[in-house]
Amino acid sequence: MNNRFVFTSLSFTDRSAMMAGAGLALALMPVPLAAAIVPAAATKTTAPAKSGVAQARKVAAKPKAKAKAKTKTVAPPVVTVPLVEPVRTEAAQRMVAWIASAHDNGSLPYAIIDKQAASLSIFSAKGEFLGETPVLLGIGIGDDSTPGVGAKDLADIGPAERTTPAGRFVAKFGMAFGRQRVLWVDYANSVALHAVITTHKKEQRVERLLSPSPEDNRISFGCINVGTSFYTKQVRPLFLKKGGVVYILPDTKPLETVFPRVRLLPYLAASAAQ
């Protein structure tokens, strides 16, 4: 029989009793089963609001805005003004021209010592003039070292033996007496280039360097003395790493005798002009 027909055919009293029984049955039903019958809409709950800590973390996690790129300041170019070439003797002028034309120095810096003018000029490996200064030289006039002079004590070297030899020398820094580093020009004959020595005040070496005349610049045992400032700021930085070439012009000998290839200068100049 159709259930709907049975339910509708019941009297009002019977229907009330049936509904009351259904309610009692629902009330007596176990809790889990009763909760399952509750409509889904009733089971929805409102999610708790996010805490302040979680919100702060979310804000902190946001990527930072890119900082504005800093504008780089471009330094103005440094303009190097070439040094003015000093007035040189005729022999020194020829040496400067020949070294530049023949590239005799190779890849090393070099110095030209003009004994007649008692001056020293230094150049970079590319031939750029870097400066000039007065020098003190050996008290003896001559262009050769006395054989065996380098092995003698200073007290045993006579005035005539205290010469500064002429020629081309490959110079390097090394230790000297008193653990002092000097630029050795001719190590075998104990000829070095170093800062002026002021041990013996009566020799007046500093005063001789400051004198405008080259006549009083002969005082050493053969070594080349220069002012301390020039030596520290110019000579040492230039020659310390690789050494260099030192050209010492003669006192009495012809320039071509000491430097035979200087004779080729006219041909080198003509070839460079073509």
Side-chain angles (χ1 to χ4, degrees), residues 26 33 40 50 65 77 80 84 88 93 98 125 127 132 135 138 141 157 179 185 202 219 223 239 242 257 274:
L26 183 60
L33 183 60
K50 294 183 179 180
T80 303
V84 178
R88 298 189 176 98
Q93 291 178 15
W98 172 68
E132 185 179 72
V135 295
I141 303 298
I157 302 175
R179 300 191 61 80
V185 177
K202 63 179 183 180
I219 190 63
C223 288
F239 292 89
K242 296 182 179 181
T257 301
Q274 291 179 357

Side-chain angles (χ1 to χ4, degrees), residues 22-40 42-43:
L24 179 61
L26 183 60
L28 297 175
M29 189 178 296
V31 174
L33 183 60
I37 299 176
V38 177
T43 61

Side-chain angles (χ1 to χ4, degrees), residues 135-262:
V135 295
L136 298 181
L137 303 165
I139 195 171
I141 303 298
D143 299 316
D144 299 299
S145 295
T146 302
V149 70
K152 292 184 177 182
D153 293 332
L154 293 180
D156 297 331
I157 302 175
E161 296 178 307
R162 302 175 187 181
T163 58
T164 300
R168 180 187 187 275
F169 304 92
V170 177
K172 291 185 177 181
F173 268 90
M175 301 302 295
F177 179 77
R179 300 191 61 80
Q180 186 180 24
R181 291 180 65 83
V182 299
L183 182 63
W184 283 110
V185 177
D186 185 2
Y187 185 80
N189 292 309
S190 297
V191 177
L193 193 160
H194 53 77
V196 61
I197 296 175
T198 58
T199 306
H200 304 288
K201 300 297 183 180
K202 63 179 183 180
E203 292 181 344
Q204 298 183 327
R205 294 200 178 197
V206 175
E207 289 78 8
R208 291 172 184 269
L209 280 174
L210 298 176
S211 171
S213 173
E215 300 298 329
D216 58 354
N217 287 40
R218 304 276 185 161
I219 190 63
S220 77
F221 281 81
C223 288
I224 303 103
N225 289 198
V226 299
T228 302
S229 178
F230 190 89
Y231 179 80
T232 304
K233 297 179 181 179
Q234 300 273 17
V235 175
R236 185 159 56 191
L238 186 62
F239 292 89
L240 184 59
K241 188 175 182 180
K242 296 182 179 181
V245 183
V246 177
Y247 302 89
I248 303 179
L249 307 190
D251 270 326
T252 58
K253 293 181 179 181
L255 184 66
E256 292 81 356
T257 301
V258 181
F259 303 99
R261 288 184 290 175
V262 173

Side-chain angles (χ1 to χ4, degrees), residues 27 55 94 102 122 188 221 224 267:
Q55 189 68 20
R94 293 179 64 191
I122 57 175
F221 281 81
I224 303 103
Y267 305 99

Side-chain angles (χ1 to χ4, degrees), residues 101-155:
S101 299
H103 304 289
D104 184 76
N105 62 299
S107 60
L108 297 175
Y110 58 98
I112 299 176
I113 298 174
D114 188 349
K115 290 200 289 181
Q116 294 183 8
S119 65
L120 175 145
S121 297
I122 57 175
F123 300 82
S124 70
K126 296 181 180 180
E128 301 165 326
F129 173 64
L130 301 178
E132 185 179 72
T133 188
V135 295
L136 298 181
L137 303 165
I139 195 171
I141 303 298
D143 299 316
D144 299 299
S145 295
T146 302
V149 70
K152 292 184 177 182
D153 293 332
L154 293 180

